[in-house]
Amino acid sequence: MPRSPGQRAGLTSEAVLAAAREVFAERGLAGLSMRAVAAALGVAPNALYSHVADKTALVDALLDDQLAALDPPPPDAEPLTGLREVMLATYDLLGRHPDMVPLYLARQGARGPRARALGAAMTVLLARLGVGDDAAGRVVRALIVHTLGYAALATADDADLRPPELRADLEVTLDWLLRGAVEAPRS
């Protein structure tokens, strides 16, 4: 069976992602490029394109890779508790990787398979609360934006409130959002 150009270079998607993670950690988003990742791997830049389409796809893969640390809420979880816990776990994850927060904000979240799985699990819980598909998409988006906003505040260099105080605020405001989502008239 013929191999693709990236396979001939001995690359795997995991190796490309690991090198991208290292380049990003060392140089930030401005220094993350296909050329820099290829140099870190000791290959020509075109060898990467068998594994990732472009820099945007590489950033999306980095973001989605971070979500591997999160477990989707089980479908039989108490819905409000499951939704709340996945958002708090997301906040905690972002707090451990503050350099990634600006990327999540810039990309408006993550788009990869792990992000889709988390969104699907959240939608199942929302359906159990009587929230239909159209409204569920808006609720999931609101929860993500809300949580990203709190993570951005917590990881800011000049934050007035410390991450534990912000997390406590997030716990309260997530409850407000979730109650509102369940009680709001559907349109």
Side-chain angles (χ1 to χ4, degrees):
M1 177 175 181
R3 295 184 300 178
S4 69
Q7 288 173 319
R8 280 194 296 277
L11 292 181
T12 64
S13 295
E14 294 77 21
V16 171
L17 190 57
R21 207 177 299 115
E22 288 176 18
V23 170
F24 177 74
E26 291 172 9
R27 304 180 196 177
L29 183 59
L32 180 65
S33 67
M34 299 297 273
R35 189 171 301 279
V37 172
L41 290 166
V43 299
N46 64 343
L48 301 182
Y49 292 100
S50 297
H51 303 282
V52 64
D54 54 23
K55 180 180 175 177
T56 300
L58 188 60
V59 169
D60 285 342
L62 282 173
L63 295 176
D64 202 58
D65 182 58
Q66 288 295 315
L67 297 180
L70 298 177
D71 292 323
D76 62 345
E78 192 287 314
L80 292 176
T81 301
L83 291 163
R84 186 176 188 269
E85 286 177 358
V86 76
M87 290 294 92
L88 292 173
T90 300
Y91 173 84
D92 294 340
L93 174 70
L94 293 171
R96 291 189 302 273
H97 302 280
D99 55 334
M100 299 297 280
V101 173
L103 293 181
Y104 281 101
L105 291 170
R107 299 292 296 142
Q108 300 177 9
R111 295 166 171 76
R114 291 181 177 110
R116 288 191 302 275
L118 286 168
M122 293 171 70
T123 300
V124 167
L125 294 181
L126 287 165
R128 289 185 44 221
L129 292 169
V131 178
D133 286 344
D134 288 343
R138 290 192 298 273
V139 172
V140 168
R141 200 168 23 261
L143 291 170
I144 291 168
V145 167
H146 189 71
T147 303
L148 282 174
Y150 267 86
L153 289 172
T155 59
D157 291 334
D158 58 352
D160 290 334
L161 294 175
R162 294 184 333 232
E165 295 165 320
L166 286 166
R167 191 182 195 282
D169 282 356
L170 177 61
E171 290 181 31
V172 171
T173 58
L174 282 171
D175 289 341
W176 294 345
L177 282 172
L178 289 166
R179 264 185 299 191
V182 172
E183 296 170 6
R186 310 289 186 261
S187 56

